Amino acid sequence: MLKLSMSINVLPINLRNKIAAGEVVERPASVVKELIENSMDAGSSRIDIDILKAGKRLIRVSDNGIGMDRQDALLSLERYTTSKIKDEDDLFNIKTMGFRGEALSSIASVSRMRLTTAQRSDARAHGSEETNENNNIGTCIEMAGGGNIELRDCMSIGTSVEIKDLFFNIPARRKFLKSDSTENYHIIDIVTRGAISRYDIGFVLRIDDSETMNLPASSSRRERLLQIFGKDFVDGLMTSESEDEQMGISIFCGNNSNFRNNRNNQFVFINNRPVRDQTISYAVYKAYEGLIPKDKHPVFLIFIEMNPQKVDFNVHPAKREVRFEDKSRVYNFVYQAARAALKNAEEAAYAAGEEASVNHQWTGMSLPAYFAYNHPDAVMCGQQAVSEASPFYDLYSSTESMPCIYLGDTFVAMPDKKGLVLMDYHAAHERINYERLLKGSEEGSGHGSKVASYRLLFPQQVKLQAGEYMIVLENLKYLNELGVEVADFGHGAVIVRSLPDFLRDADLNALISDIAASLLNSDVRLKQEKALESLESIDSKKKTIAAKLACHSSIRGREIPDGVRAAALIKDIEKTENPDACPHGRPTRIFISMAELKKMFKK
Ligand code: ADP
Ligand code: MG
């Protein structure tokens, strides 16, 4: 049996540092992160990063910043030594990337380190009279595992920190490192995030002697994004900016056709610090709700500047997370800004319908891609897809208000002042019904529902699976608010008494079980987001139900629109908040500008 000993030891410094290093230095990329942050704090305009063998053999970060004199260089390697904060007040008013004073000492304790630095002449603040000649010479310090310090003079411009044999003295940690390509991926990710946050600094990253990134200092955020992501990506981003007395925000986000299957293209910076934050990403997802499919992820870059007193950066040893003084304020601020960005794009597209490039912003996808998206089975060849998959129906109907052509059983084509509008009739209908439902339930909140509904002549019983039954009972209130009057009938069944009137001929079994399934899915999604259930989950559940209801109405109502209906549809869709996408995020309409048509006909 394990013998317990009650005697307490004070841990030797070296061991303390190794323990601390466990938190700060997880992998080579974390070393890169700490070192480039130090270089940023030192006022550098260029940072070079050299990596050999995924950082397991060598990590070298060199900068042209203010550097250190010998005394500081020696001090910097000790634990809790920093030039960035002095007292508690400073801790809650942080303006630098670093402040914990533990990176260099931690890294030094788990590697062989060489620090080369010289203080820049303009940084020698404390009276040049005192400066003896030796101070002009730089310092080189070498150490292994945080000990065996060797010191010598050397020439240097700025600071260079060289880390060899990371974790050589903690074999267990070394074993945990992943393959070279994975570790390199993390390093590139860190440098990318650093480069996005500081477009004014030049970055060069060399991996195994080949230049992986070379980003000259640039003059704007957009320019830096162009350097990193290329023109196509950046052109597909929508932007918005806003500020109030405490915060400023600048958002770049993908339009409703620019989404991904993962979250890799999501970046959040607070006061230039790359962070992960549930509140912020949740707010953005919320803004996209109903605009992109549920299992997809939007692309976004968010830059927030805020009063450092309103945010605590000292939450995570690697400073990846933050804590806001007023979380819901930040949430709302980000949500509004993201909504504005999504709206800006629509307006810009309309205002400048003449310009093909703006139209590109609106649709974000080429025409063939759009059709492929709507019709995975259709021939992937643009306009041809229309004619082959959907022969013209002789339903051209001209009214004074809206001549239209009905293509197949889905699309309506209509002339627009500035070009041609192609509308997915059912998707547009879904969007209109969806917003009507939500609006009706909002207006009636607290006093039943204001959704126009009709009473079934014979209330209908619907039998559900156990899981569905449970979730429907949990959400009776929201169903009722949305005009679906439904009550528990016991033994796994519910009874439906009334429905929104556009659902007159809906299949109730399918409808209710479909709603249950989507509520289950949205629950899973909420849990994945792990965030803010109290703030937004009610709203989100209602939206989920409304989307399902709207979708059933459209599946059922296979009416063929004539000119009058098309005109009404155009009017109604225009009045919705998000006219460009159905509640599931699929496009409702595509606009082809005159300019684009001319281009297609090579005019
Ligand atoms: P922190 O960054 O939290 O202050 P570090 O251990 O990373 O702690 O660095 C300790 C100190 O060493 C810094 O406060 C800074 O004064 C100095 N320092 C580190 N890296 C550099 C650099 N590249 N150029 C100039 N000074 C540096
Ligand atoms: Mg630091």
Side-chain angles (χ1 to χ4, degrees):
M1 208 174 106
L2 189 70
K3 209 169 140 223
L4 291 177
S5 154
M6 293 301 284
S7 65
I8 294 175
N9 303 312
V10 174
L11 296 177
I13 296 283
N14 221 10
L15 189 50
R16 289 187 222 173
N17 283 342
K18 268 194 188 174
I19 291 171
E23 292 181 331
V24 181
V25 192
E26 210 181 309
R27 57 178 4 141
S30 22
V31 174
V32 174
K33 175 172 191 287
E34 294 297 334
L35 297 181
I36 65 176
E37 287 187 356
N38 279 344
S39 298
M40 290 174 182
D41 284 342
S44 316
S45 62
R46 174 172 166 144
I47 303 175
D48 281 62
I49 303 118
D50 286 280
I51 304 292
L52 291 180
K53 192 104 183 65
K56 297 166 192 170
R57 183 170 303 150
L58 171 80
I59 298 168
R60 181 172 49 227
V61 175
S62 316
D63 64 48
N64 61 355
I66 53 171
M68 287 177 271
D69 64 18
R70 180 155 303 174
Q71 196 187 347
D72 276 355
L74 283 163
L75 255 180
S76 73
L77 297 165
E78 284 176 33
R79 187 118 195 259
Y80 303 127
T81 52
T82 179
S83 56
K84 299 167 194 175
I85 59 172
K86 289 198 175 60
D87 53 31
E88 206 174 316
D89 284 349
D90 292 344
L91 186 57
F92 296 99
N93 193 16
I94 286 170
K95 298 191 175 92
T96 47
M97 302 299 283
F99 57 86
R100 295 170 61 106
E102 56 186 353
L104 285 185
S105 59
S106 300
I107 297 166
S109 70
V110 294
S111 67
R112 296 180 219 281
M113 178 189 278
R114 180 195 288 156
L115 168 73
T116 314
T117 186
Q119 194 171 35
R120 203 156 69 192
S121 53
D122 60 357
R124 287 178 211 136
H126 312 296
S128 46
E129 313 87 53
E130 290 167 31
T131 315
N132 65 36
E133 279 186 354
N134 280 346
N135 279 6
N136 291 323
I137 297 168
T139 303
C140 177
I141 302 170
E142 283 190 47
M143 57 206 298
N148 307 327
I149 299 183
E150 279 177 33
L151 184 90
R152 57 193 153 78
D153 291 346
C154 69
M155 297 306 286
S156 177
I157 292 171
T159 302
S160 173
V161 182
E162 212 173 279
I163 308 298
K164 281 188 178 150
D165 303 329
L166 184 64
F167 299 137
F168 80 95
N169 54 353
I170 320 185
R173 249 301 148 84
R174 213 179 153 86
K175 268 208 315 247
F176 273 112
L177 293 179
K178 299 281 190 308
S179 69
D180 286 4
S181 67
T182 303
E183 296 301 339
N184 279 335
Y185 171 83
H186 287 288
I187 292 169
I188 295 168
D189 185 56
I190 288 289
V191 177
T192 303
R193 283 171 201 270
I196 294 172
S197 80
R198 289 294 304 272
Y199 60 79
D200 54 327
I201 299 178
F203 287 84
V204 177
L205 168 64
R206 275 175 296 263
I207 295 182
D208 296 325
D209 294 323
S210 82
E211 214 169 65
T212 308
M213 292 170 90
N214 185 348
L215 311 169
S218 69
S219 57
S220 74
R221 200 162 265 158
R222 194 185 147 80
E223 197 182 322
R224 178 50 55 88
L225 297 183
L226 283 169
Q227 290 173 336
I228 295 176
F229 298 103
K231 193 166 181 313
D232 283 352
F233 182 92
V234 176
D235 281 351
L237 295 175
M238 307 176 296
T239 59
S240 88
E241 278 181 21
S242 58
E243 62 181 338
D244 65 11
E245 30 342 305
Q246 275 176 25
M247 276 183 267
I249 189 169
S250 165
I251 287 196
F252 295 74
C253 58
N255 59 22
N256 56 13
S257 59
N258 189 359
F259 42 75
R260 303 291 156 97
N261 285 321
N262 56 58
R263 296 163 187 265
N264 287 351
N265 284 286
Q266 302 182 346
F267 302 86
V268 177
F269 303 89
I270 299 177
N271 296 358
N272 283 335
R273 189 185 298 281
V275 294
R276 276 180 214 150
D277 185 79
Q278 299 276 11
T279 307
I280 293 174
S281 54
Y282 197 70
V284 181
Y285 273 81
K286 202 73 206 167
Y288 273 97
E289 203 167 79
L291 288 177
I292 64 168
K294 282 217 153 173
D295 52 346
K296 305 290 178 192
H297 300 278
V299 166
F300 59 81
L301 298 112
I302 294 180
F303 303 89
I304 295 178
E305 289 297 327
M306 67 193 294
N307 180 341
Q309 289 167 359
K310 303 286 175 196
V311 52
D312 186 357
F313 291 112
N314 190 22
V315 181
H316 187 277
K319 295 161 283 178
R320 260 201 300 265
E321 284 160 25
V322 294
R323 200 179 285 135
F324 298 114
E325 188 183 276
D326 189 346
K327 201 166 162 172
S328 56
R329 194 194 154 106
V330 173
Y331 175 88
N332 283 323
F333 196 70
V334 175
Y335 175 77
Q336 298 302 343
R339 286 290 321 140
L342 294 166
K343 246 193 152 56
N344 282 350
E346 288 162 16
E347 281 162 13
Y350 265 117
E354 299 288 301
E355 282 173 42
S357 67
V358 179
N359 169 59
H360 172 72
Q361 244 187 4
W362 186 40
T363 64
M365 243 189 220
S366 67
L367 198 55
Y370 247 114
F371 279 107
Y373 179 77
N374 276 310
H375 285 275
D377 306 327
V379 193
M380 239 303 267
C381 54
Q383 291 75 7
Q384 225 180 317
V386 185
S387 48
E388 284 186 12
S390 330
F392 276 61
Y393 277 52
D394 189 21
L395 283 168
Y396 179 79
S397 147
S398 176
T399 68
E400 259 167 42
S401 52
M402 184 57 65
C404 78
I405 302 169
Y406 194 52
L407 306 166
D409 60 0
T410 310
F411 303 114
V412 195
M414 285 159 289
D416 181 278
K417 286 194 291 292
K418 291 168 179 163
L420 176 70
V421 176
L422 290 171
M423 175 119 43
D424 178 334
Y425 184 69
H426 299 286
H429 231 194
E430 259 182 79
R431 164 57 66 186
I432 293 163
N433 284 333
Y434 172 73
E435 291 201 9
R436 272 192 191 145
L437 278 174
L438 287 174
K439 204 151 165 260
S441 84
E442 246 166 56
E443 283 168 5
S445 71
H447 323 277
S449 171
K450 280 246 173 98
V451 176
S453 64
Y454 79 104
R455 284 194 85 74
L456 276 69
L457 193 53
F458 304 107
Q460 195 179 327
Q461 195 183 323
V462 177
K463 175 90 179 110
L464 297 162
Q465 291 173 32
E468 297 172 342
Y469 180 57
M470 181 199 75
I471 200 141
V472 167
L473 291 192
E474 275 172 19
N475 291 284
L476 285 180
K477 182 170 170 283
Y478 308 129
L479 280 156
N480 285 325
E481 287 177 9
L482 288 163
V484 183
E485 199 188 326
V486 52
D488 187 6
F489 202 59
H491 305 288
V494 292
I495 186 145
V496 182
R497 297 211 164 82
S498 54
L499 286 171
D501 54 12
F502 60 79
L503 284 171
R504 257 168 212 284
D505 49 1
D507 170 353
L508 278 184
N509 283 298
L511 175 67
I512 304 290
S513 104
D514 217 7
I515 289 174
S518 62
L519 281 167
L520 281 167
N521 285 340
S522 77
D523 255 9
V524 170
R525 188 166 164 229
L526 270 182
K527 276 177 205 138
Q528 276 168 357
E529 301 292 347
K530 262 199 276 168
L532 297 158
E533 301 211 16
S534 53
L535 265 176
E536 282 295 345
S537 67
I538 295 174
D539 193 36
S540 166
K541 282 184 177 170
K542 255 189 171 174
K543 285 186 174 169
T544 304
I545 299 172
K548 266 287 156 249
L549 290 170
C551 158
H552 272 258
S553 76
S554 305
I555 290 170
R556 297 264 120 199
R558 285 278 181 220
E559 59 184 339
I560 293 168
D562 55 23
V564 180
R565 290 198 176 175
L569 190 75
I570 286 272
K571 229 169 73 204
D572 289 344
I573 192 83
E574 212 48 77
K575 276 190 253 161
T576 63
E577 228 179 280
N578 293 306
D580 292 325
C582 82
H584 305 292
R586 283 181 286 273
T588 50
R589 57 183 186 178
I590 299 170
F591 175 69
I592 307 173
S593 70
M594 243 15 212
E596 197 153 283
L597 282 170
K598 280 182 192 155
K599 218 162 113 193
M600 286 173 186
F601 287 98
K602 310 224 178 295
K603 289 209 164 171

